[in-house]
């Protein structure tokens, strides 16, 4: 209860401070009342959803996600406005103090706020505010197909030109627009790839989240089949279960649902993909993540039935596994496919110019293709979303990778 009281007091205080900028810019009371009403509505909805609303056990269901998203947008608007106002207030205080020390005027007072600076503050604050709203309205379903051609000297000849579609982090429990998901699924199928690989986090927490989308996910197809691995959210670790048995049953139901929609779920296992007399090893590990995440992935177990010199593609949900374990493993993993980071669902990407997201502060390898020690990894930005119900600048991704035989000159 105390934390709610502190949060409400802080939120209202920030709101009153931000109101000063509006009072400086405009004299229309309707603007003030509209701002205050919107601010309180966002706060009230957030408190309601996280106290009285649906407590079914999901970390964030759809109503909670939107409540969080609107609160995040409002807080970003207030924070940036206050940054400008506070900077100006320091200047106003120092100016007033200087004039008082010099005897003009005799009584200390603040110089008036500058209307121009308040206009700049509100204008800049409106950018992240509107971007976060756009991300919830359009950005989260702004699917992008990213294509890469990756070359390997020891790629078996028959697999030259072999095409793989990778998707990751579907998070069924967050979806709220069937037509948009139908479009995304259709876009995946239109790539007409040889192989479809899903690298974890089918749900937010519970297997039941898949049920409304099961028929759509079953329409995903690829010539040589569909394979998947588990992500950290698939285990149900973020739910307070009444018993370990319920938690275990949830995981088994999720595994069965994946099989029912046609995915070959790899649980620290491997499979050979063959073309003529050539073959490549597809390896799938359970989730292994740094920083408190589940470490169920076992490379030794997963590679027990393949050979060291095989060409290997590894599916591992968390890219920290690649950095901490895979690169150091005795076997050479030519290509690793991961997800998990979502690119934080927020950032700026201009191909060839800028690639930035707060995700880089936590993950060295957070989006796209990287190469270390002659091994490659692609970190997919995710098909779905979690928490904040949107995406800004880091769009939902469908990765298409074409394997090419590198010519030796």
């Amino acid at each position: 209860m105390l934390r709610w009281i502190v949060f409400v007091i802080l939120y209202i205080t920030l709101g009153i401070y931000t109101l000063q900028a509006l009072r400086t810019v405009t004299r229309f009371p309707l603007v003030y009342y509209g701002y205050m009403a919107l601010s309180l509505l966002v706060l009230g909805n957030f408190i309601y959803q996280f106290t009285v609303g649906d407590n079914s056990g999901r970390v964030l269901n759809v109503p909670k996600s939107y409540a969080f998203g609107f609160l995040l947008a409002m807080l970003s608007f207030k924070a940036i406005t206050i940054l400008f106002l506070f900077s100006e207030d320091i200047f106003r205080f120092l100016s007033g103090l200087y004039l008082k020390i010099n005897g003009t005027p005799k009584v200390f007072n603040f110089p008036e706020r500058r209307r121009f600076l308040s206009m700049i503050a509100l204008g800049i604050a409106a950018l992240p505010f509107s971007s976060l709203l756009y991300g919830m309205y359009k950005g989260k379903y702004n699917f992008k197909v990213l294509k890469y051609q990756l070359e390997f000297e020891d790629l078996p000849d028959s697999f030259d030109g072999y095409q793989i579609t990778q998707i990751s982090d579907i998070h069924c429990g967050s979806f709220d627009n069937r037509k948009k998901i139908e479009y995304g699924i259709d876009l995946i199928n239109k790539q007409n790839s040889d192989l479809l690989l899903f690298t974890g986090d089918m749900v937010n927490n519970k297997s039941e989240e898949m049920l409304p989308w099961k028929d759509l996910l079953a329409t995903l197809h690829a010539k040589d089949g569909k394979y998947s691995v588990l992500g950290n959210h698939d285990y149900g670790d973020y739910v307070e279960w009444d018993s370990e048995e319920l938690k275990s049953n949830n995981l088994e139901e999720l595994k069965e649902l994946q099989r029912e929609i046609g995915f070959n779920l790899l649980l620290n296992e491997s499979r050979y993909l063959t073309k003529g007399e050539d073959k490549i090893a597809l390896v799938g590990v359970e989730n292994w993540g740094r920083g408190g995440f589940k470490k169920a992935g076992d490379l030794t177990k997963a590679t027990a039935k393949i050979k060291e010199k095989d060409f290997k593609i590894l599916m591992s949900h968390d890219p920290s596994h690649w950095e901490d374990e895979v690169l150091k493993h005795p076997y050479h993993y030519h290509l690793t496919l991961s997800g998990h980071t979502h690119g934080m669902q927020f950032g700026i990407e201009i191909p060839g110019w800028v690639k930035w997201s707060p995700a880089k502060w936590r993950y060295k390898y957070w989006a796209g293709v990287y190469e270390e020690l002659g091994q490659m990894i692609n970190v997919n930005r995710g098909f779905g979303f979690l928490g904040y119900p949107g995406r800004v600048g880091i769009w939902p991704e469908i990765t298409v990778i074409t394997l090419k035989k590198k010519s030796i000159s």
Side-chain angles (χ1 to χ4, degrees):
M1 178 59 73
L2 179 61
R3 64 180 181 178
W4 281 111
I5 294 173
V6 172
F7 172 72
V8 169
I9 292 173
L10 180 61
Y11 181 88
I12 292 175
T13 302
L14 295 177
I16 293 172
Y17 202 51
T18 304
L19 184 60
Q20 306 311 307
L22 290 171
R23 289 185 178 277
T24 304
V25 170
T26 180
R27 300 301 178 190
F28 292 102
L30 188 61
V31 175
Y32 317 149
Y33 297 141
Y35 161 75
M36 289 187 290
L38 179 61
S39 183
L40 291 174
L41 180 64
V42 169
L43 175 63
N45 182 49
F46 180 80
I47 293 174
Y48 172 79
Q49 294 297 341
F50 281 83
T51 56
V52 183
D54 177 18
N55 290 308
S56 61
R58 295 178 185 175
V59 174
L60 284 178
N61 56 26
V62 173
K64 284 182 179 179
S65 292
Y66 274 97
F68 172 71
F70 286 126
L71 182 77
L72 187 64
M74 184 60 71
L75 285 175
S76 71
F77 179 80
K78 292 180 179 183
I80 293 177
T81 303
I82 288 170
L83 181 64
F84 278 84
L85 295 186
F86 187 69
S87 300
E88 184 188 23
D89 284 346
I90 293 175
F91 177 79
R92 290 169 65 209
F93 174 78
L94 294 176
S95 297
L97 186 63
Y98 174 80
L99 293 174
K100 175 69 173 108
I101 292 173
N102 284 275
T104 309
K106 294 182 179 180
V107 180
F108 177 82
N109 57 45
F110 271 119
E112 290 187 1
R113 290 192 181 279
R114 289 172 289 180
R115 184 170 183 269
F116 177 68
L117 188 61
S118 291
M119 290 179 66
I120 292 176
L122 292 172
I124 293 177
L127 292 176
F129 177 77
S130 57
S131 294
L132 287 167
L133 293 181
Y134 173 83
M136 290 190 284
Y137 177 61
K138 286 277 191 181
K140 61 186 176 184
Y141 296 127
N142 186 24
F143 299 107
K144 299 295 182 184
V145 178
L146 302 185
K147 297 186 176 183
Y148 302 101
Q149 182 171 293
L150 305 182
E151 297 185 337
F152 304 89
E153 291 183 357
D154 53 348
L155 178 70
D157 293 339
S158 298
F159 286 89
D160 187 23
Y162 195 75
Q163 184 170 294
I164 299 168
T165 291
Q166 180 200 0
I167 54 174
S168 193
D169 299 88
I170 290 178
H171 289 288
C172 293
S174 298
F175 291 156
D176 58 4
N177 189 319
R178 190 171 184 86
K179 287 187 177 180
K180 295 295 186 181
I181 301 305
E182 287 175 352
Y183 168 76
I185 296 294
D186 185 56
L187 195 58
I188 294 170
N189 286 333
K190 282 184 177 178
Q191 305 313 308
N192 198 31
S193 289
D194 297 294
L195 190 66
L196 176 62
L197 302 179
F198 170 65
T199 47
D201 277 2
M202 180 67 75
V203 296
N204 295 347
N205 295 285
K206 293 185 173 182
S207 62
E208 65 189 44
E209 297 168 24
M210 273 188 70
L211 298 179
W213 312 100
K214 179 181 173 182
D215 59 331
L216 271 180
L217 295 170
T219 65
L220 288 168
H221 61 80
K223 300 169 189 175
D224 293 342
K226 306 181 293 187
Y227 293 83
S228 63
V229 292
L230 296 176
N232 57 297
H233 279 270
D234 294 323
Y235 295 89
D237 286 343
Y238 311 120
V239 176
E240 293 183 5
W241 300 94
D242 291 335
S243 68
E244 281 299 316
E245 183 182 6
L246 286 174
K247 180 180 178 181
S248 177
N249 289 343
N250 176 74
L251 179 57
E252 293 307 313
E253 288 169 5
L254 178 66
K255 293 176 182 178
E256 183 57 32
L257 282 169
Q258 289 209 33
R259 295 182 183 108
E260 287 177 9
I261 64 174
F263 277 99
N264 189 334
L265 180 62
L266 300 180
L267 302 168
N268 292 323
E269 300 172 82
S270 64
R271 299 285 188 277
Y272 276 118
L273 305 172
T274 60
K275 290 179 74 68
E277 295 183 357
D278 291 329
K279 62 182 180 181
I280 60 177
L282 178 64
V283 181
V285 295
E286 294 198 49
N287 189 79
W288 192 104
R290 181 199 306 153
F293 290 109
K294 182 181 288 291
K295 291 179 171 62
D298 187 334
L299 279 172
T300 301
K301 181 180 178 182
T303 56
K305 296 182 180 180
I306 66 173
K307 298 177 182 178
E308 182 179 352
K309 293 185 178 180
D310 287 332
F311 186 94
K312 291 175 285 296
I313 296 176
L314 172 66
M315 301 167 66
S316 179
H317 177 68
D318 192 320
S320 66
H321 186 218
W322 189 68
E323 183 179 359
D324 292 353
E325 297 282 324
V326 177
L327 288 174
K328 302 172 184 177
H329 196 265
Y331 279 15
H332 180 91
Y333 295 89
H334 299 75
L335 174 62
T336 298
L337 301 177
S338 297
H340 181 63
T341 72
H342 298 209
M344 289 286 282
Q345 297 171 207
F346 181 87
I348 301 172
E349 287 195 271
I350 304 174
W353 292 86
V354 179
K355 181 182 175 182
W356 178 88
S357 165
K360 69 179 296 181
W361 297 333
R362 181 177 175 90
Y363 295 96
K364 182 178 180 180
Y365 310 102
W366 60 273
V369 175
Y370 304 86
E371 184 173 1
E372 297 283 353
L373 303 176
Q375 303 175 69
M376 293 188 186
I377 185 173
N378 178 64
V379 184
N380 183 285
R381 294 160 181 82
F383 185 84
F385 49 91
L386 180 70
Y388 164 61
R391 285 178 174 266
V392 179
I394 306 294
W395 311 120
E397 175 181 344
I398 299 163
T399 310
V400 178
I401 296 172
T402 302
L403 306 180
K404 295 295 293 181
K405 180 84 171 183
K406 187 175 184 179
S407 59
I408 304 175
S409 56

